[in-house]
Amino acid sequence: MNTILYKQQLSQDVFLMRLHAPLIAEERQAGQFIILQTDDDYGERIPLTIADADTIEGSITIIFQVVGKTTKHLATFNVGDKLPALLGPLGKPTHIENFGRAVCVCGGIGVAPMHPIAQALKNAGNHVTVIIGARTEELIILQKEMSAIADELIICTDDGTAGIKALVTAPLKELCEQELKPDIVIAIGPPVMMKFCAETTRPYKVFTQVSLNTIMVDGTGMCGGCRVNVGKEVKFVCVDGPEFDGHLVDFDNMIARLNAYKEIERTHYKCFVEKAFNKNVKEVQL
Ligand code: FAD
Ligand code: FES
Ligand code: MG
């Protein structure tokens, strides 16, 4: 178990892996995630969404972006290597029903966690519009897979190299202004993007679900690392989420908590790259 069965580089910093995890593959539902460790002893535990599963092969698929030490380490694993620890499926599955018109807004790596959700919404009979946003064309992933699911696919890039030159909130606003406005919007991506998606839909009173990517440690509701304020309540993303009503989430508090360890993360990344690749890292852009 936990052996890497397949590895593919999807773009400069994004990797897809299929891991042997037959029990997780049997149980998982759209919206759930795993926690893995790349080091045996003192390695940190990081959460990654289960992007897909194959019960015949007994595998789950993860798609991750290298952003720091642990994801950089994970990217060095190859087919046949074994991960020291893998836990899941965790979190509550996405609530799927026939809402009517569903709009899935994905920013950057958010396309990976959105893929099984868009598929489940389509299977439930929804009219599915997928909006994918990326800085530039090279960073768009899973476009072919999403176009096979979506009734309508809108691509946005910051530099206009693919689709429309706009932020994802521009087509989202247009959809909200149509006579047949969305019955549900699901947004997954960087916290700032999810915040602005929620602000875009708020005046139109379109229910907007966001999938929160807080820092996690144990993933079982005990450490408090993933605490967020939702409305007047305190929630733990690992057990109460990861999905919440975006109009109620205190994004500013969440973003501040996510940035709390930036300096330490930079130092650990720099030390890891210097040790593992024998490289002198002067500038670390995370
Ligand atoms: P670091 O340099 O340590 O951190 C970079 C940034 O990542 C931090 O500033 C912080 O914002 C975040 N982060 C750091 N440590 C953690 C942690 N233990 N838990 C959560 N976030 C952390 N990323 C993907 O690429 N693909 C996914 O499918 C995916 N799914 C996720 C699902 C959930 C439920 C959550 C909460 C996060 C998900 N993430 C996903 C984000 C991923 O966990 C972080 O990018 C990863 O932990 C960064 O680790 P690092 O050591 O490489 O980077
Ligand atoms: Fe520890 Fe959620 S990760 S409480
Ligand atoms: Mg880290």
Side-chain angles (χ1 to χ4, degrees), residues 92-108:
K92 289 188 175 159
T94 308
H95 172 73
I96 301 288
E97 64 173 63
N98 190 352
F99 297 98
R101 301 181 81 79
V103 177
C104 301
V105 192
C106 334

Side-chain angles (χ1 to χ4, degrees), residues 10-88:
L10 298 184
S11 70
Q12 197 190 336
D13 287 326
V14 178
F15 293 82
L16 177 154
M17 282 180 181
R18 286 207 312 273
L19 313 173
H20 185 229
L23 301 177
I24 302 177
E26 286 285 344
E27 291 291 320
R28 71 96 206 194
Q29 292 179 57
Q32 290 186 296
F33 61 94
I34 47 115
I35 282 194
L36 61 77
Q37 236 176 292
T38 55
D39 270 321
D40 257 332
D41 304 325
Y42 298 106
E44 69 176 347
R45 298 149 60 86
I46 64 159
L48 296 171
T49 305
I50 305 168
D52 204 352
D54 181 339
T55 48
I56 310 231
E57 188 181 44
S59 68
I60 56 166
T61 302
I62 52 169
I63 299 178
F64 62 94
Q65 184 170 19
V66 173
V67 293
K69 184 197 160 195
T70 305
T71 45
K72 184 81 176 170
H73 189 202
L74 183 58
T76 65
F77 282 61
N78 287 309
V79 172
D81 292 343
K82 240 175 141 164
L83 289 172
L86 181 62
L87 172 71

Side-chain angles (χ1 to χ4, degrees), residues 149-171:
I149 297 169
D151 295 287
E152 186 187 11
L153 178 67
I154 302 167
I155 304 284
C156 303
T157 47
D158 294 358
D159 60 5
T161 44
I164 50 171
K165 187 177 176 186
L167 298 175
V168 289
T169 44

